[in-house]
Amino acid sequence: MHTYYKGCWNLSGIHERSSSMFKQWSLGKVSQEDAPIRRLKWGTASLIVRAHVTPIVLPMVHSGFEEVMPEKFFLDRRPPFPLCNKKIKIMIGQPLEFDIPKMTELAISKSSGDVFSSTTTSRGWPVISFYGLDLDEAAQRYLYSSISEEIQSAMEELRSSLK
């Protein structure tokens, strides 16, 4: 995973600073087959939830880089330099904004006594508090997966439009 930050996250404890920007490439792959986007990991969702000011997520997908630097070019090796005159497509989607307090309440209500919490093995996650609400492990899982699925859905829609 490639992460770029400019004064916005202190990695010893996540908190905001003035005029900040955070970019995260959650898939972190140079070349990916033309297939549906795999399940996103929950790290991005966790960063969104823990931010003091809820960030705006800008989904972005690209294709064509595998032709600029193919895995096997000459003698089954990569070319020494990027190849010219190749078509690269970049799609940028609509910004995604999350209502974290509302999503947190929904996660707590859906996860308490739900099949989601009873069928999942507990891994001993600590209870965390957001907006005065305590989230146990099941609620955190529900919240993170909801956010990740929304981002994945937006990215998959963009990927489909690249064709």
Side-chain angles (χ1 to χ4, degrees):
M1 174 174 64
H2 170 76
T3 306
Y4 168 78
Y5 69 98
K6 177 186 164 190
C8 111
W9 300 100
N10 177 347
L11 298 179
S12 63
I14 301 171
H15 68 280
E16 66 176 277
R17 293 194 184 157
S18 60
S19 68
S20 51
M21 173 179 67
F22 181 80
K23 263 193 301 192
Q24 181 178 15
W25 306 100
S26 55
L27 291 181
K29 259 192 114 154
V30 173
S31 178
Q32 184 173 348
E33 61 280 351
D34 186 24
I37 293 173
R38 295 173 296 202
R39 179 188 74 82
L40 299 178
K41 295 186 179 181
W42 293 343
T44 302
S46 174
L47 289 173
I48 291 168
V49 169
R50 294 167 193 248
H52 290 289
V53 176
T54 305
I56 297 171
V57 176
L58 189 62
M60 178 175 53
V61 296
H62 57 76
S63 71
F65 286 103
E66 65 277 1
E67 293 181 26
V68 175
M69 285 296 287
E71 293 289 327
K72 296 181 180 182
F73 178 66
F74 182 70
L75 299 175
D76 286 339
R77 299 189 78 176
R78 284 187 173 192
F81 302 102
L83 303 178
C84 298
N85 298 323
K86 301 296 179 184
K87 189 174 186 176
I88 297 172
K89 296 179 185 177
I90 300 173
M91 295 289 294
I92 300 173
Q94 294 295 319
L96 302 175
E97 297 186 55
F98 298 97
D99 186 353
I100 299 300
K102 182 178 176 182
M103 292 179 84
T104 301
E105 289 177 12
L106 181 64
I108 291 170
S109 67
K110 291 278 190 180
S111 66
S112 59
D114 192 10
V115 175
F116 189 78
S117 62
S118 62
T119 59
T120 307
T121 305
S122 175
R123 293 193 170 95
W125 292 12
V127 173
I128 56 175
S129 296
F130 292 113
Y131 305 101
L133 302 170
D134 290 336
L135 279 83
D136 62 3
E137 182 175 340
Q140 290 175 59
R141 287 173 179 262
Y142 188 91
L143 180 60
Y144 297 162
S145 65
S146 297
I147 292 170
S148 294
E149 287 170 8
E150 192 170 333
I151 296 170
Q152 179 183 2
S153 174
M155 290 176 65
E156 181 58 32
E157 187 177 314
L158 289 172
R159 189 197 66 80
S160 297
S161 66
L162 279 175
K163 297 179 180 178

